């Protein structure tokens, strides 16, 4: 996410390190680089200029501060300003109303249907809501099918009226249907439209008026940079929407949309989409995003993800096993599965402070565990529960069975050994201490 921008900002801020004092000259130099980094990320020229002006003012007013070195101070100022630029505080969605009506708007292919599914899944699993998805794209029959597939995947009912060409009527009927069937959230997916297409813009405006949504979300592809900002303006003029959803942040996006949209339409970014799968959705936190952009990681999100996957019962069982020295390869496999459930490896690694930079040339993908899994699957149940019985000839057999080498099997045995030792050490409050340590690293 925003690798290029991160790298350039990092370089820009490095210039100041080594200088004892913040002077007008070195601040100006650094900020010139910062501005260039923002422009390269496709941030609007005026916004980038304003940004550096504010940071400059703040930096020069603070040269009395001696507790921080200039580099750190600048990083902090830039971080604070990035946070402000992206909206400052986290703004959640309004779930009032019965039912809550959420209307999706945006350009063709921006990710509305995918995001409708992700949001439905999020509200169902994280907020225990009864959700109804509504297909209002009357132009493409395939669109309704796409939504039905999504609905089936996440176990959420989809309301559609094949043959009805009136999206206003469909959405009104859908809300009636929701009320009659105990649903408390209605998500209306609409057809993609161009802002220049007046007829289509009138149509969504009519749907908007007819259903008075609690939340109108503007879904935008973050890869489109400055264009995204212009489109946002056009949609906002017609719909006065409540929030923005930035999709495709998993791609090679430069970041301009994320950094400019709030200043232009003065509406908060509420969610981000980070992949095609139904769980690739995150609440947008400006300050955490600023941390990530500056390569400071996002430990808070990482810990949250870990906590979401945390199962007390399982943890207790595992603890007992560790205490009795019964931790085996099946448990190891379980742990890997838990990590996998937390998200894609690339995403997770990006949340570790400094890791983005350190690993920028390393290709991290979700196949990272495949070799390990193959090796463990080639072990017999007895070998998995009593790893000490795995001797040289067994290693040879396991390597052959898993299409790996004895070396790789050895490596895994070593990793397993280290992990078992670490887990034993972490017992009794050690884990909490480690979390605190990680938080302290921010
Ligand atoms: N990598 C990635 N792909 C995404 C994301 N969100 C959507 N996509 C993909 O983008 C394409 C378009 O997504 P849709 O959800 O169909 O977009 P839409 O806005 O409903 O499109 P129309 O209904 O034609 O206007 C699909 O191939 C999605 O899988 C995301 O966050 N990351
Ligand atoms: Mg669609």
């Amino acid at each position: 996410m925003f690798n290029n921008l991160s790298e350039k900002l990092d370089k820009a801020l490095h210039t100041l390190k080594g200088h004892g004092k913040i002077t007008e000259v070195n601040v100006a130099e650094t900020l010139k680089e910062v501005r260039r980094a923002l422009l390269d990320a496709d941030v609007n020229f005026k916004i980038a200029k304003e940004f550096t002006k504010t940071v400059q003012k703040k930096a020069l007013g603070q040269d009395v501060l001696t507790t921080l070195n200039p580099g750190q101070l600048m990083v902090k100022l830039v971080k604070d300003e990035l946070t402000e630029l992206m909206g400052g505080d986290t703004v959640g969605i309004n779930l009032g109303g019965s039912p809550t009506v959420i209307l999706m708007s945006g350009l063709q292919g921006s990710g509305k249907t995918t995001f409708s599914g992700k949001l439905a899944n999020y509200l169902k699993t994280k907020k225990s809501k009864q959700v109804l998805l509504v297909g209002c794209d009357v132009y493409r029959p395939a669109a309704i099918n796409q939504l039905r597939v999504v609905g089936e995947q996440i176990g959420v009912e989809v309301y559609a009226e094949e043959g009805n060409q009136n999206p206003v009527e469909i959405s009104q009927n859908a809300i009636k249907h929701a009320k009659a069937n105990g649903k408390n959230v209605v998500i209306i997916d609409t057809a993609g439209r161009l802002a220049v297409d007046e007829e289509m813009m009138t149509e969504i405006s009519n749907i908007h008026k007819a259903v008075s949504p609690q939340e109108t979300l503007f879904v935008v592809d973050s890869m489109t940079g400055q264009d995204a900002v212009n489109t946002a303006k056009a949609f906002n003029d017609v719909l006065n929407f409540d929030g923005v959803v930035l999709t495709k942040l998993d791609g090679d996006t430069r970041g301009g949309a994320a950094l400019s949209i709030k200043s232009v339409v003065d509406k908060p970014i509420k969610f981000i989409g980070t992949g095609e799968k139904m769980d690739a959705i995150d609440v947008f936190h400006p300050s955490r995003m600023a941390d990530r952009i500056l390569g400071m990681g996002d430990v808070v999100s990482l810990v949250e993800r870990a906590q979401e996957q945390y199962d007390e019962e399982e943890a207790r069982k595992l603890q007992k096993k560790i205490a009795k020295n019964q931790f085996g390869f099946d448990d190891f496999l379980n742990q890997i599965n838990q990590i996998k459930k937390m998200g894609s490896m690339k995403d997770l690694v990006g949340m570790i402070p400094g890791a983005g930079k350190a690993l920028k040339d390393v290709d991290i993908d979700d196949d990272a565990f495949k070799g390990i899994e193959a090796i463990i699957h080639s072990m017999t149940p007895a070998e998995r529960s009593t790893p000490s019985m795995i001797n040289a000839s067994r290693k040879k057999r396991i390597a052959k069975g898993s299409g790996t080498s004895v070396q790789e099997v050895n490596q895994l045995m070593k990793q397993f050994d280290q992990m078992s030792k670490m887990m034993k050490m972490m017992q009794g409050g050690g884990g909490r201490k480690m979390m605190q340590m990680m938080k302290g690293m921010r």
Side-chain angles (χ1 to χ4, degrees):
M1 216 182 272
F2 307 155
N3 280 345
N4 219 348
L5 175 63
S6 295
E7 218 172 280
K8 287 197 172 130
L9 284 177
D10 187 54
K11 252 191 217 144
L13 293 165
H14 250 89
T15 328
L16 263 191
K17 295 198 174 147
H19 290 280
K21 213 173 121 199
I22 291 190
T23 67
E24 257 178 76
V25 177
N26 56 26
V27 164
E29 267 169 26
T30 301
L31 288 178
K32 213 163 89 187
E33 292 295 313
V34 168
R35 189 160 83 194
R36 195 168 300 153
L38 291 174
L39 290 175
D40 278 351
D42 205 13
V43 171
N44 173 289
F45 179 77
K46 247 170 54 194
I47 296 173
K49 201 169 152 188
E50 198 57 40
F51 182 96
T52 43
K53 224 168 82 187
T54 314
V55 175
Q56 181 162 33
K57 235 196 266 160
K58 285 188 182 162
L60 295 176
Q62 296 204 20
D63 53 359
V64 282
L65 265 186
T66 47
T67 44
L68 292 164
N69 73 33
Q72 276 171 344
L73 177 60
M74 283 304 280
V75 170
K76 187 186 177 306
L77 293 176
V78 170
K79 192 222 139 154
D80 289 350
E81 212 44 41
L82 278 177
T83 306
E84 276 310 305
L85 192 58
M86 290 186 289
D89 295 325
T90 306
V91 186
I93 56 166
N94 174 6
L95 289 173
S98 67
T100 305
V101 177
I102 303 172
L103 178 66
M104 298 295 165
S105 66
L107 289 183
Q108 278 152 14
S110 56
K112 293 176 297 300
T113 304
T114 309
F115 183 74
S116 298
K118 288 179 187 176
L119 184 61
N121 189 39
Y122 169 85
L123 293 175
K124 179 187 161 186
T125 55
K126 304 269 159 76
K127 308 272 175 203
S128 310
K129 296 287 181 190
Q130 306 286 326
V131 187
L132 181 70
L133 277 166
V134 184
C136 254
D137 189 338
V138 296
Y139 307 97
R140 281 190 311 128
I144 303 292
N145 284 339
Q146 185 192 354
L147 195 64
R148 285 198 197 284
V149 170
V150 163
E152 229 159 76
Q153 237 177 2
I154 58 175
V156 166
E157 186 186 341
V158 172
Y159 183 93
E161 291 181 24
E162 271 95 356
N164 189 343
Q165 289 294 309
N166 184 344
V168 172
E169 224 173 80
I170 297 172
S171 34
Q172 283 171 327
N173 291 344
I175 293 172
K176 274 185 217 142
H177 179 85
K179 279 185 183 156
N181 290 279
K183 309 281 180 191
N184 40 31
V185 177
V186 178
I187 299 176
I188 303 175
D189 178 29
T190 60
R193 62 202 72 229
L194 300 173
V196 290
D197 185 336
E198 249 175 67
E199 209 174 300
M200 290 290 278
M201 289 307 270
T202 307
E203 179 195 271
I204 192 150
S205 166
N206 287 340
I207 301 175
H208 185 255
K209 277 183 206 140
V211 301
S212 318
Q214 273 67 34
E215 276 287 335
T216 303
L217 295 175
F218 172 67
V219 180
V220 65
D221 179 341
S222 62
M223 307 283 280
T224 53
Q226 275 307 298
D227 277 348
V229 178
N230 299 333
T231 321
K233 211 161 169 281
F235 273 78
N236 195 43
D237 287 345
V238 175
L239 291 174
N240 189 18
F241 55 69
D242 302 291
V244 178
V245 176
L246 273 184
T247 62
K248 310 186 195 178
L249 273 182
D250 51 314
D252 201 13
T253 164
R254 288 191 281 167
L259 293 166
S260 317
I261 235 163
K262 171 69 171 56
S263 332
V264 176
V265 291
D266 198 26
K267 294 291 164 65
I269 300 170
K270 294 196 172 180
F271 289 98
I272 54 174
T274 55
E276 294 186 76
K277 290 201 195 129
M278 281 299 116
D279 58 359
I281 167 175
D282 272 310
V283 172
F284 184 76
H285 300 285
S287 133
R288 298 187 197 178
M289 188 54 88
D291 274 345
R292 288 183 75 152
I293 291 176
L294 289 172
M296 291 150 93
D298 184 356
V299 175
V300 181
S301 296
L302 190 61
V303 171
E304 271 177 11
R305 292 251 188 119
Q307 276 166 347
E308 272 168 26
Q309 296 307 328
Y310 184 81
D311 179 336
E312 211 162 324
E313 181 65 31
E314 280 293 315
R316 208 171 302 128
K317 272 194 218 154
L318 196 64
Q319 239 171 24
K320 266 194 197 150
K321 278 190 169 174
I322 296 166
K324 289 190 195 157
N325 270 332
Q326 288 173 346
F327 182 76
F329 272 111
D330 276 320
D331 305 304
F332 191 72
L333 212 51
N334 264 337
Q335 293 298 303
I336 291 178
N337 282 332
Q338 293 231 345
I339 295 173
K340 282 198 334 202
K341 272 195 255 163
M342 280 167 63
S344 77
M345 281 315 281
K346 212 170 168 178
D347 204 24
L348 292 181
V349 169
M351 293 182 188
I352 302 169
K357 197 172 140 199
L359 297 173
K360 77 177 165 48
D361 296 323
V362 182
D363 190 22
I364 306 156
D365 58 33
D366 291 318
D367 292 345
F369 292 127
K370 276 212 175 120
I372 295 176
E373 284 169 336
I375 293 174
I376 298 177
H377 283 135
S378 294
M379 295 175 183
T380 64
E383 287 167 346
R384 287 188 215 176
S385 56
T386 320
S388 58
M389 73 188 283
I390 303 178
N391 57 19
S393 73
R394 283 177 189 267
K395 278 180 193 166
K396 231 187 247 168
R397 194 206 75 240
I398 293 167
K400 206 167 163 207
S402 57
T404 58
S405 64
V406 172
Q407 236 169 348
E408 283 168 275
V409 176
N410 272 331
Q411 200 184 356
L412 175 62
M413 301 280 302
K414 209 167 134 193
Q415 277 173 348
F416 172 79
D417 224 42
Q418 281 167 347
M419 184 163 160
S420 314
K421 273 193 200 127
M422 202 170 82
M423 289 184 120
K424 236 189 141 106
M425 243 163 54
M426 272 169 62
Q427 278 212 311
R432 204 177 327 122
K433 236 182 256 163
M434 200 163 114
M435 284 294 185
Q436 277 165 357
M437 225 171 71
M438 278 179 77
K439 275 189 182 157
M441 276 159 60
R442 299 186 80 214

